[in-house]
Amino acid sequence: MKRLKLLLILLTGIGVYNGYAQTEMTLQECLKYALANNQRLAYTRLDEDMGRFKTAEVKSRALPQINGTGTYTNNIKKPVFPLPGDVVGQPGQTVLLESGLTHNLSAGATLEQKVFDQTVFTGLKAAKTTEEYYRMATVQSEENVIYNVSQAYYQALVTREKIRVLDANIGKLSTLVETTNTQFRNGLARKIDLDRIRVNLTNYKTQRIQQENQYLVQLNQLRQQIGMPAGTALELPRASFAELEDKTAAGLAFGSLDLDNRIEYRLLDKQTELQELQKKAYIAEYYPSLSLTGSYSYNGLSNNFDFLKSKSNGSTANWYGMASVGLTLKIPIFDGFGRRSRVNQANVTLRQLSKQKEETALALNTAFENAKLQVKSNLGTIQAQQENVDLANEVYNATQNNYKLGLADLTDLLDAETSLTEAQNNYNEALLQYKLAELDIIKSNGNLKNLLN
C-alpha cells in the first residue's frame, strides 16, 4: 500500500511538472532565451575569449624571456691536445695531453629582454584591435540570432492563425453537415448536397492536418534557433497575433540608413584597420632590433662522480660560477625582397577591402530601399485584404441567411465560404510578409536589439 501511495505521489508530481512544462513564450522571451542559449552565439563568444588569450600571447613577447638550463656530461673518452715535447722535457717528440675531467655538471639561467623591436610594438596594437574585432563579431552574431528568431516566430504565429481560420470553417461546415443530414433524412435536402458539404469538410480537415504539421515543424525550427532542446514543450501566447496586427496598424517609421549602425560595415572597417597594422608589421621588419641578454651558470668538474659530497668528505669536484650580460643588435640587410613582397600583398588586400566596402554599402542601401518598398506594398495589401475579409464575411453571412430561407442554393453558400477562407488566408499571408519586411527595415537601421524591449 505504501508503494502504491508513493507511486501515485510521483505520478501526480510528474503531471504537475508537465503542466508547468507547457511554456508560453512571447517574442521578447524567445529572444532573451536565444541570446543565453543559442549554440552558434556561444561559439562566437568563445572566439571572443580566444581573442583575449591571443592578446596575452602577443604581450608576452614584450616581457622578459627567462629559461633555465641543466646539463650533465660524461667524457668517456677525453679529447687530447698535441704539445711539442720540448715543453715537458721530451725534445723531438710530440706529447698528447688529455683535456678536461670525466664528469661535468652545469646549472644555469638565461634572460632576454626586447629593448627595441618594432614588430613587437605593432603586434601589440594589432592584438588589441583583434580583440575589438571579435567583440564586434559577437554583436553581429547576436543580431543574426535576433533576426532569425523573429522570422521563425512570426512564421509560426501566422501558421497558427491559419489553423484557427480552418478550425472556424470546419466548425461551420460540421454544423452545416448536421443540418443538411437532418434535412436529407426528412426528405428536405438532396444527397448530392450533403456529399458536397462533406467533401469540402474533408478538404478543410486535410488542410488543417497539413498546417498543423507545418506549425510543429516551425516550432521545432524556433526551438533550434533559440537553443531549446528538441522535445521541450513550447507554445506561443494567443495574444501575440493580436499584438502583431496592432503593431502593423500603427505603421512603421522608416528612418534613414546609417552605414555606421550596420555591424557588417563596421566589421569591414575593423578588418581594414587590422590590415593596416599588418602592413606596418611587415614594414617594421626593415627596422633593426635590439635585445638585452644575460646568463648565469654554476658548473662542477670532477674525475669522480662525487658532486653531492662536500670537500670535508673527500669530494674532488671543483665548482665555479659564470655570468655574462650583453646586447644583441640585429640589422636586416637583404632577404631576397621577401619583406617587400609581403608589403605589396598587404596593399592589394587593402584595395580589396576598399572594394568590398563599396560593394557592401551598395548592397545595404539596395536592401534598405527594397525593404521600404516591401513595407509600403504589404501595408497597402494588408489594408485591402482587411477590407476584403470584412466584405467576404458580409457576403457569407448574407448568403447563409438566404440559404436558410431557401433564397440561395448550396453552391452559392460554398462559394461564399471558400471566398471568405481565401480572403482570411491572404490577409494573414500579407501580414507575415509585412512583418518580415519590417524586420529588414529594423535591421537596416541597426535597431534589432530594440525587439528585446
Side-chain angles (χ1 to χ4, degrees), residues 13-33:
I14 292 172
V16 172
Y17 172 78
N18 286 337
Y20 281 110
Q22 298 294 328
T23 307
E24 284 192 353
M25 298 181 70
T26 64
L27 175 59
Q28 288 73 26
E29 290 170 338
C30 283
L31 293 176
K32 291 174 183 177
Y33 188 100

Side-chain angles (χ1 to χ4, degrees), residues 52-99:
R52 287 194 291 270
F53 295 138
K54 288 181 177 179
T55 299
E57 179 187 5
V58 174
K59 286 180 178 178
S60 70
R61 295 168 55 192
L63 298 176
Q65 309 294 307
I66 303 174
N67 295 291
T69 59
T71 59
Y72 164 73
T73 304
N74 188 328
N75 295 312
I76 299 173
K77 192 171 183 179
K78 302 173 186 175
V80 296
F81 290 96
L83 292 175
D86 296 338
V87 177
V88 293
Q90 297 180 24
Q93 297 184 21
T94 300
V95 179
L96 300 178
L97 296 179
E98 286 186 339
S99 172

Side-chain angles (χ1 to χ4, degrees), residues 1-8:
M1 180 63 70
K2 289 182 178 179
R3 290 183 177 178
L4 180 58
K5 288 182 178 179
L6 179 60
L7 180 61
L8 289 173

Side-chain angles (χ1 to χ4, degrees), residues 343-385:
V343 171
N344 288 336
Q345 290 174 41
N347 287 329
V348 172
T349 303
L350 285 169
R351 290 197 294 271
Q352 288 175 329
L353 285 169
S354 177
K355 293 300 180 183
Q356 191 175 351
K357 286 177 63 178
E358 292 177 9
E359 180 185 17
T360 301
L362 180 60
L364 292 176
N365 277 288
T366 302
F368 179 64
E369 293 301 322
N370 288 340
K372 288 197 296 183
L373 290 174
Q374 287 293 329
V375 166
K376 291 177 181 178
S377 173
N378 287 315
L379 187 59
T381 302
I382 288 172
Q383 294 170 347
Q385 288 300 328

Side-chain angles (χ1 to χ4, degrees), residues 19 30 45 52 119 154 169 171 218 228 232 274 332 335 352 360 372-373 392 413 416:
C30 283
R45 286 172 177 156
R52 287 194 291 270
T119 59
Y154 290 148
N169 292 331
Q218 289 171 341
M228 179 178 285
T232 305
L274 279 170
D335 69 343
Q352 288 175 329
T360 301
K372 288 197 296 183
L373 290 174
L413 180 61

